[in-house]
Amino acid sequence: MTSSQGNSPFLGYCDGIHKEILIGWAVNRLDPYQPVRLHVLIDGQEIAQILADQSRSDVQTALKTPHDRLGFSFTIPVRFMDGVAHELSIRLPDRTILPIAEQNGENARTSQSFKIDARPEYTSCVDGVKQGALKGWVLQKMPGESEWRGDCIVSVTANGVLVAQVRADRYRGDVAAAVGCNPNCGFDIPIPQRFRGSSPRSFSVKILPESEELMGSPFTTSIADDALETRLLDIAETIDKLHRELTKLRTEIRNAIPRAGYNLGNYDRWALLYYTALRERTALLRVKAPLGTEPLVSILCPTYKPLKADYVTAIESVLRQTWHNWELILIDDGLVCPQTTALMQEYAARDARIRVLPLEKNLGISGATNAGMDAATGLYTVFFDHDDMLVDVAIETMMRKALETNALLLYSDEDKVDQANNWQSPNFKPDFNYRYLLGCNYVCHLTMVETETMRKIGPLRAEYDGAQDHDFILRACEIIPHDRIGHVAELLYHWRMTPNSTAVTVGNKNYAIAAGVKAVSDHLDRCGYEAAVSSINGLTLYRVDWRLSASPKVSIIIPFKDQIDITQRCIETLLERTAYDNYEIVLIDNWSVTPEAHAFMERFGAHEKLRFLTIEEPFNYSRLNNLAAHGCSADFLLFLNNDVFVEEKNWLRLMVNEALADPQVGAVGARLLYPNQTIQHAGVVVGPAGVGAHAHRGCGPEDYGYIGRILLSHEVTAVTAACMLVRREVFESVGGFDEIELKIAYNDVDLCLRIRDAGHRIIYCAEAVAWHHESLTRGSDDVPEHEARFFQEGQIMQKRWAGHPLFERDPAYPRFFTVDLQPFFDLVDPTRS
């Protein structure tokens, strides 16, 4: 391993280049304590001097030197990692050449040729599998670069079998905020059905072409989001292990497994099909139901320092509109960018429908929009941001709805597009939902308002900048009848996601939160409500705490049959944790037989808040509650399961106040949690595909729900009778629960539909929280002995409500989500929507 050069006092050797690092050793025999300075030459030019002062114990052992600080390492500079051949040599201080090992390690040479392709450095994370999709992110940078960037290629395998290979270019604003990098670095890969089931599989996520594992990979997990799907997949996996004679059966089982559909995890793929179908439907409508008129529509676009490419895309999306009678008013706010001004003028010269409105002074979003509102001459006015996009049939679709319904204000659904042009984060909206609007500006884009009505509402107000559109919609609600506010249930607007937009994070606009709180507070004050409004978790989601002092009487009705430990816990919790004074508890004893039950009734029978009603009949949930309600004179009835345990002392006051805040409210439901803190009930969605399904069931304690719905009180079509407050007069007027045909299941959904059909509203009260140990008293509907009854009552609901608008399309639930699968996640077939 030693080498000398004639009479040179220096010994040394270069072990060669390993990846991009040059390593070796050198020693001065005359002065071994002084580190040797080496001269590194590439292509005959000295590019660096290095010291041989690193530890090399192997050299010390071989040469018996007094110390081991004889080694060196040197990273080849990035400029030579260009895939081109270079020649390397090393000279000792006396200009003699340091020998370099041959690749086979047997001989030495005076120089070495090398060719290095630069290898990127990676940082990454696999977030894991959530709702059937593998999520994560990966960033890269080349040696010498300072900024991380995305757009890496990722492969995923399960038990060594390729699952997918994708480009990691999904928008990840959280990563960009944390790392300070390009946000297009994420991946979101739906796991194919063949890799699902209860059997654990080992997943590996690698960066290609280096095949470097991402942080958090490999990992082992099973994917079992849907119970039926998991069961069938497990059967199929078992059959695969049987003898060949079972091949036919295995194939039949596999064919029986439902094919993977669409959900929020593969929204981009869904959207591509949807937009094609939307255009086809619109074209068909032009033939089947042609409009006899095409009024002028004013499109307002306040402009301030847009990115040119985004601005051009925005204007071009207006030019592509299938509705031709429009005017686009480009408001040049402050004339701050000559290039933007010139671009506006260029478009105005090309198309007479485009007008430029120059503002010498920068007025901000509200002032600039107001200038456009004053200039609008169309029958309707549309609000449009300078970096967003309209779907080509947007104005046509909005105007068709306006002309058909005579609505004065209309809004559509919307989604977002990231800088890699991936569709994501759709905001599928309910029909007009006033209570939801108090909690967030879900209306947002696309908004169109009759111009005359717009001027009655008044201009945007700069004091609400950041929430000026929310303030405008709230003021609109004060003068427009709510039945003339129309929801156009189509995706017509693309909100572009940029690093500084609220589409990424409201943290970029904290002032918007304060403005939103003020907008809602001032609106409620103008309407005569006493309420305190606050931000939820520092976001543009708002809690409304009604400050109402009236205390109407409430009868809390609780059926029970034996199982006294549960019932007693329920009652004791109510008595300890109900700050509302004007209530009574009516306990329905449905033929309890145990000594514990009799002792319980005797012990609590004299309590001033309690009274017992004994009904010795077979269990009929509807009849039990109807009989108890018939004997109550309270203003409100609260139906409660005996396995529900309240948490906060103000739970009943919160529910009562939601009813008192609006006399049209007929029923109020609570947020119910399983013992593991996941959601059991946050409202019920209805529809023919599933009759009734609990929204957000199974979501964790940190989840906000779809567009904040877990945390925000809002109007729903149904709530569970496990904890449901109903006005007694409304309950009686609709006939109470159906005790003839819906004795056990769906009676609460049926009651709610009848309440809604009678013109009343139903509210999910997000702040009223209780724990629900579901079915502790009567067992689950999934057990075999209940399946026939459950099926029969489901069929009754289907027959009774078939064709009814409330049932066919739940107005509180976006039409693009399924009812029979996972609400607010699984999507309907986009070609049939």
Side-chain angles (χ1 to χ4, degrees), residues 801-820:
W801 292 101
H804 194 287
L806 283 170
F807 188 68
E808 293 297 327
R809 192 180 81 76
D810 186 337
Y813 184 61
R815 74 180 184 92
F816 296 113
F817 287 118
T818 63
V819 177
D820 55 329

Side-chain angles (χ1 to χ4, degrees), residues 649-713:
K649 289 183 176 294
N650 64 344
W651 72 276
L652 186 52
R653 166 55 70 183
L654 289 168
M655 296 183 73
V656 169
N657 279 358
E658 285 292 345
L660 294 179
D662 184 350
Q664 282 191 310
V665 171
V668 179
R671 188 192 336 171
L672 302 180
L673 307 177
Y674 288 117
N676 65 358
Q677 300 188 43
T678 60
I679 294 292
Q680 188 269 334
H681 171 266
V684 174
V685 301
V686 304
V691 182
H694 284 210
H696 300 104
R697 173 175 278 182
C699 286
E702 304 300 323
D703 286 336
Y704 287 18
Y706 185 72
I707 318 295
R709 279 173 171 82
I710 290 177
L711 299 185
L712 293 176
S713 295

Side-chain angles (χ1 to χ4, degrees), residues 418-527:
D418 65 21
Q419 290 172 305
N421 289 321
N422 294 305
W423 309 119
Q424 60 177 282
S425 305
N427 185 355
F428 297 126
K429 304 171 186 178
D431 290 350
F432 184 68
N433 195 315
Y434 174 72
R435 186 61 183 87
Y436 189 31
L437 183 64
L438 295 180
C440 69
N441 180 19
Y442 81 89
V443 170
C444 208
H445 300 298
L446 178 66
T447 299
M448 185 175 81
V449 59
E450 187 197 44
T451 304
E452 182 181 346
T453 302
M454 174 185 74
R455 296 195 167 111
K456 291 178 182 177
I457 297 168
L460 301 186
R461 302 191 287 191
E463 63 191 285
Y464 299 96
D465 274 357
Q468 72 285 340
D469 48 354
H470 198 180
D471 170 67
F472 180 83
I473 298 298
L474 289 169
R475 285 188 285 124
C477 295
E478 297 168 23
I479 68 169
I480 301 176
H482 291 185
D483 61 359
R484 296 190 71 182
I485 299 176
H487 170 216
V488 181
E490 301 285 2
L491 286 153
L492 302 179
Y493 194 95
H494 304 306
W495 189 357
R496 185 173 292 280
M497 302 175 74
T498 60
N500 292 321
S501 74
T502 51
V504 177
T505 169
V506 295
N508 291 333
K509 296 186 178 180
N510 288 327
Y511 66 89
I513 299 170
V517 170
K518 178 175 172 57
V520 177
S521 298
D522 291 353
H523 163 72
L524 292 174
D525 186 59
R526 290 191 299 271
C527 294

Side-chain angles (χ1 to χ4, degrees), residues 157-231:
T157 60
N159 291 351
V161 178
L162 182 66
V163 175
Q165 182 172 307
V166 300
R167 188 174 295 277
D169 60 2
R170 290 277 180 172
Y171 200 93
R172 286 295 297 261
D174 56 335
V175 178
V179 181
C181 63
N182 187 306
N184 297 308
C185 61
F187 56 87
D188 189 332
I189 305 170
I191 302 300
Q193 194 176 71
R194 64 185 183 277
F195 298 105
R196 297 168 178 260
S198 61
S199 298
R201 288 177 171 83
S202 177
F203 287 86
S204 174
V205 189
K206 295 181 179 179
I207 306 163
L208 298 178
E210 290 81 3
S211 293
E212 183 174 328
E213 294 272 359
L214 273 66
M215 183 179 295
S217 173
F219 62 94
T220 300
T221 187
S222 59
I223 302 173
D225 293 330
D226 180 81
L228 174 60
E229 178 189 39
T230 302
R231 181 183 177 190

Side-chain angles (χ1 to χ4, degrees), residues 3-11 28-30 92 94 96:
S3 178
S4 64
Q5 297 292 319
N7 296 323
S8 174
F10 299 98
L11 293 175
N28 185 343
R29 291 179 294 180
L30 299 180
L92 294 158
D94 60 0
T96 56

Side-chain angles (χ1 to χ4, degrees), residues 262-530:
Y262 299 95
N263 55 52
L264 292 182
N266 55 28
Y267 170 73
D268 187 64
R269 180 164 62 91
W270 182 94
L272 290 174
L273 297 173
Y274 165 77
Y275 289 119
T276 299
L278 170 63
R279 294 179 179 100
E280 292 174 352
R281 292 198 311 271
T282 305
L284 184 62
L285 280 173
R286 293 188 203 115
V287 176
K288 296 178 63 176
L291 296 174
T293 181
E294 190 171 349
L296 178 67
V297 177
S298 298
I299 304 172
L300 310 185
C301 184
T303 304
Y304 184 77
K305 295 183 179 180
L307 293 174
K308 180 179 179 181
D310 293 346
Y311 194 45
V312 167
T313 302
I315 295 174
E316 291 291 338
S317 76
V318 176
L319 291 171
R320 286 194 297 270
Q321 289 301 300
T322 56
W323 185 272
H324 301 293
N325 194 17
W326 50 260
E327 62 173 357
L328 173 60
I329 302 176
L330 301 175
I331 304 104
D332 193 350
D333 189 14
L335 307 176
V336 294
C337 178
Q339 293 82 2
T340 302
T341 299
L343 184 63
M344 292 180 182
Q345 297 294 348
E346 178 185 338
Y347 271 107
R350 285 167 47 187
D351 195 315
R353 297 173 295 177
I354 298 178
R355 285 197 284 148
V356 178
L357 187 61
L359 303 180
E360 295 289 341
K361 182 181 179 181
N362 174 225
L363 300 181
I365 183 64
S366 292
T369 304
N370 290 339
M373 292 164 70
D374 291 339
T377 61
L379 179 63
Y380 280 84
T381 298
V382 167
F383 300 97
F384 182 46
D385 288 352
H386 66 206
D387 54 359
D388 294 342
M389 292 177 284
L390 296 177
V391 176
D392 55 358
V393 297
I395 303 302
E396 178 182 359
T397 305
M398 296 289 281
M399 282 303 300
R400 178 176 289 276
K401 181 81 169 183
L403 295 172
E404 289 176 352
T405 64
N406 202 27
L408 298 176
L409 186 147
L410 304 97
Y411 62 93
S412 76
D413 295 351
E414 63 190 288
D415 62 11
K416 297 180 175 67
V417 58
D418 65 21
Q419 290 172 305
N421 289 321
N422 294 305
W423 309 119
Q424 60 177 282
S425 305
N427 185 355
F428 297 126
K429 304 171 186 178
D431 290 350
F432 184 68
N433 195 315
Y434 174 72
R435 186 61 183 87
Y436 189 31
L437 183 64
L438 295 180
C440 69
N441 180 19
Y442 81 89
V443 170
C444 208
H445 300 298
L446 178 66
T447 299
M448 185 175 81
V449 59
E450 187 197 44
T451 304
E452 182 181 346
T453 302
M454 174 185 74
R455 296 195 167 111
K456 291 178 182 177
I457 297 168
L460 301 186
R461 302 191 287 191
E463 63 191 285
Y464 299 96
D465 274 357
Q468 72 285 340
D469 48 354
H470 198 180
D471 170 67
F472 180 83
I473 298 298
L474 289 169
R475 285 188 285 124
C477 295
E478 297 168 23
I479 68 169
I480 301 176
H482 291 185
D483 61 359
R484 296 190 71 182
I485 299 176
H487 170 216
V488 181
E490 301 285 2
L491 286 153
L492 302 179
Y493 194 95
H494 304 306
W495 189 357
R496 185 173 292 280
M497 302 175 74
T498 60
N500 292 321
S501 74
T502 51
V504 177
T505 169
V506 295
N508 291 333
K509 296 186 178 180
N510 288 327
Y511 66 89
I513 299 170
V517 170
K518 178 175 172 57
V520 177
S521 298
D522 291 353
H523 163 72
L524 292 174
D525 186 59
R526 290 191 299 271
C527 294
Y529 291 108
E530 292 187 18

